[in-house]
Amino acid sequence: MCTCAMYHTKDHYFGRNLDLEFSYQESVTITPRNFPIPFRQEGSMNNHYALIGMAFVCGGFPLYYDATNEFGLSMAGLNFPGNGYFFKPESDGKDNISPFEFIPWILGQCKNLNEARALLDKIRLVDIPFSKELPITPLHWMIGDQSGSIVVESVRDGLHIYDNPVGVMTNNPTFDKQLFRLNDYRGVSAGPSENTFAKGLDLDPYSRGMGGIGLPGDLSSGSRFVKVAFTKMNSISNDDEDSSVSQFFHILGSVEQQRGCCDLGDGKYEITIYSSCCNMDRGIYYYRTYDNSQISAVDMHHEDLDGRDLVSYTLVTKQQINQIN
């Protein structure tokens, strides 16, 4: 499964963990403004805003997992099994967009959340797979800009758009239920715990961090939502770039998955294949991978954003160790 988050210091940051048991050989991919993006039902978008993000480039098409455009509007798709539902295309004036086209459709045309909301008012997410080898994946999405974020879920009774006051998202259940579950943890805190067990009973705060007792620590999506929301909303860092990026990866690290802890059977284990952090204001995409703890960075503004060709950077996956002696 996966986790997505936003974080603000002096600048604004958006990123995610991709948790899966296999990789599609994804790469950091820049889609410049004049790269033609064909849509199955809505023609081709030949001029659009530039994007940077993580994508599996298949047949020349960037299948984005997460991306940020040149204005900072950001978007990530996370697995939504059992809930995600997509409809048949109809000719009723709505835009028929397949889930694999959704990220470039929104980020290619919208500068901010207000523009994204306007586009969402006339969209239908449709059941059109990329290919026979790549069928439809049930997804839902978090979209954010420098002002906040929303969650978009296409389910059997239609398209739901939720305001996201915590700036995080995981997988199941639906976002409204995940958000409601935070009520169960209203008593936890980052500070020392208060003795409210019973009057007259002297209980000793024998350890630091006892205010967080009760926070879930398992790898289920509901538990990860609670843990990453608590971590993110209590996080403090300096506002320089290095400190902010470092803190963002620590936030994601609070719910990362280690090989062996999520056993899928047949020798398969879900792991955090990569973690990402994009500076939404500067267009710098940072990432690290399961076997490479070093943070790597790609700056979209170091490329020709008026070009017509995709620019892709293969992930650095081999561990980079600074040998001291």
Side-chain angles (χ1 to χ4, degrees), residues 82-93:
N83 281 310
Y85 183 84
F86 308 114
F87 299 85
K88 299 299 180 185
E90 295 184 30
S91 300
D92 59 356

Side-chain angles (χ1 to χ4, degrees), residues 107-293:
L107 298 189
Q109 302 181 77
C110 302
K111 293 181 179 180
N112 52 50
L113 267 183
N114 286 336
E115 292 185 4
R117 285 180 184 272
L119 210 57
L120 289 168
D121 283 342
K122 57 177 184 175
I123 199 171
R124 175 186 295 107
L125 290 171
V126 296
D127 186 13
I128 299 178
F130 181 78
S131 66
K132 291 181 179 179
E133 294 75 24
L134 294 173
I136 287 284
T137 300
L139 299 172
H140 61 167
W141 293 264
M142 186 163 114
I143 307 175
D145 68 4
Q146 289 85 344
S147 69
S149 65
I150 59 175
V151 170
V152 179
E153 296 180 343
S154 180
V155 294
R156 286 187 177 272
D157 65 352
L159 194 71
H160 293 253
I161 301 171
Y162 301 99
D163 290 324
N164 186 349
V166 294
V168 302
M169 188 180 84
T170 58
N171 309 99
N172 281 322
T174 55
F175 185 74
D176 55 336
K177 293 178 181 178
Q178 293 223 22
L179 198 60
F180 182 81
R181 192 181 176 210
L182 294 181
N183 290 293
D184 295 339
Y185 301 92
R186 64 186 302 273
V188 302
S189 69
S193 57
E194 182 182 355
N195 179 15
T196 59
F197 188 87
K199 292 181 179 180
L201 186 62
D202 186 18
L203 299 177
D204 181 30
Y206 58 86
S207 173
R208 295 178 178 180
M210 292 178 69
I213 289 178
L215 281 172
D218 64 90
L219 298 176
S220 67
S221 57
S223 293
R224 282 185 286 106
F225 180 84
V226 173
K227 180 65 183 296
V228 78
F230 176 84
T231 305
K232 178 250 178 172
M233 299 194 78
N234 287 284
S235 285
I236 298 172
S237 72
N238 294 332
D239 63 6
D240 62 279
E241 185 73 350
D242 287 352
S243 298
S244 300
V245 171
S246 176
Q247 185 72 356
F248 192 92
F249 280 106
H250 283 300
I251 293 168
L252 292 179
S254 70
V255 289
E256 69 181 8
Q257 300 204 27
Q258 299 79 26
R259 183 177 286 113
C261 294
C262 184
D263 190 345
L264 304 177
D266 297 324
K268 297 178 181 179
Y269 301 93
E270 188 165 276
I271 62 171
T272 300
I273 292 177
Y274 75 82
S275 301
S276 68
C277 167
C278 189
N279 184 314
M280 301 161 69
D281 305 301
R282 304 186 195 182
I284 304 173
Y285 190 92
Y286 301 91
Y287 72 90
R288 64 186 187 189
T289 63
Y290 189 85
D291 290 313
N292 180 19
S293 304

